[in-house]
């Protein structure tokens, strides 16, 4: 005798209730609980601090120019006060041009380092928010976590810090495409 209808092993109402609960967990409660868990883990301040500290670790090394005697020390030793007056006229001849270039290069390195620190501090918040969004993008672990009333904890949630730092270093959040 062929069956005209396929009868599910569970009641239709129970099946629809379970499907609605799963959809609600996937679309709403999983995201809300995920956001709250990440906020509770204090991720944003820790992430911003880590990004600024990482930028500070790459401090430039400055070159020191070789000290050379100036005109007053040379001419004052040999010619006395008249030599110092002569230095007012020919003083630029005794200047070390390499020292000026080294000082200019050191100042450029210092300015670039300060700009990089300022840029890292300015973009740290958006990079950290990007990592949170990448983590929350995968809805299934959060839906399982929320739908099971936090009884089942997927590994992606158990290792939340590692997942967030992995998302932070991903090409999406590292700013490579901006």
């Amino acid at each position: 005798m062929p069956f005209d209808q396929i009868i599910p092993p569970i009641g239709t109402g129970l099946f629809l209730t379970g499907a609605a609960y799963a959809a609600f967990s996937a679309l709403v409660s999983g995201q809300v609980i995920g956001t709250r868990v990440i906020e509770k883990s204090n991720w944003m301040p820790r992430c911003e601090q880590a990004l600024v500290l990482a930028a500070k670790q790459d401090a430039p090394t400055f070159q020191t120019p070789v000290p050379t005697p100036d005109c007053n020390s040379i001419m004052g030793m040999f010619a006395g006060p008249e030599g110092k007056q002569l230095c007012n006229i020919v003083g630029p001849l005794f200047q070390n041009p390499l020292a000026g270039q080294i000082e200019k290069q050191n100042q450029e390195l210092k300015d670039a380092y300060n700009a990089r620190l300022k840029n890292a501090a300015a973009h740290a918040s958006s990079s950290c928010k990007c990592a949170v969004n990448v983590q929350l993008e995968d809805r299934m672990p959060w839906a399982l976590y929320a739908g099971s009333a936090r009884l089942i904890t997927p590994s992606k949630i158990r290792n939340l810090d590692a997942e967030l730092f992995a998302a932070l270093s991903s090409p999406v959040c590292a700013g490579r495409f901006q």
Side-chain angles (χ1 to χ4, degrees):
M1 172 173 171
F3 291 104
D4 291 338
Q5 294 179 339
I6 297 177
I7 301 172
I10 58 173
T12 307
L14 184 61
F15 178 75
L16 289 177
T17 303
Y21 185 72
F24 181 76
S25 295
L27 299 175
V28 179
S29 65
Q31 297 298 302
V32 171
I33 288 178
T35 303
R36 289 180 182 171
V37 166
I38 292 172
E39 285 174 2
K40 189 177 178 182
S41 73
N42 205 16
W43 161 253
M44 290 297 289
R46 289 185 302 127
C47 174
E48 291 172 7
Q49 183 181 17
L51 288 176
V52 171
L53 285 175
K56 284 182 180 179
Q57 287 181 351
D58 298 331
T61 56
F62 300 113
Q63 297 179 0
T64 55
V66 177
T68 55
D70 64 341
C71 180
N72 286 330
S73 63
I74 295 172
M75 296 304 286
M77 189 177 357
F78 293 115
E82 293 85 17
K84 290 184 180 182
Q85 289 175 353
L86 181 63
C87 281
N88 292 335
I89 298 170
V90 295
L93 294 176
F94 286 89
Q95 290 180 352
N96 184 359
L98 185 60
Q101 290 175 353
I102 290 174
E103 287 177 13
K104 181 181 175 188
Q105 182 182 11
N106 285 344
Q107 187 60 41
E108 289 173 356
L109 285 172
K110 190 184 296 183
D111 292 342
Y113 175 71
N114 290 335
R116 190 173 70 238
L117 283 179
K118 184 186 260 187
N119 188 29
H123 291 82
S125 178
S126 64
S127 295
C128 295
K129 285 179 186 175
C130 176
V132 169
N133 290 336
V134 167
Q135 178 65 18
L136 291 175
E137 199 173 82
D138 189 8
R139 292 178 180 264
M140 283 301 117
W142 293 107
L144 182 63
Y145 187 60
S148 68
R150 300 181 186 182
L151 294 175
I152 299 173
T153 307
S155 65
K156 192 166 189 167
I157 298 170
R158 216 174 307 120
N159 303 322
L160 184 62
D161 274 354
E163 292 288 334
L164 286 168
F165 276 110
L168 182 66
S169 62
S170 70
V172 174
C173 297
R176 295 180 188 159
F177 300 111
Q178 293 177 356

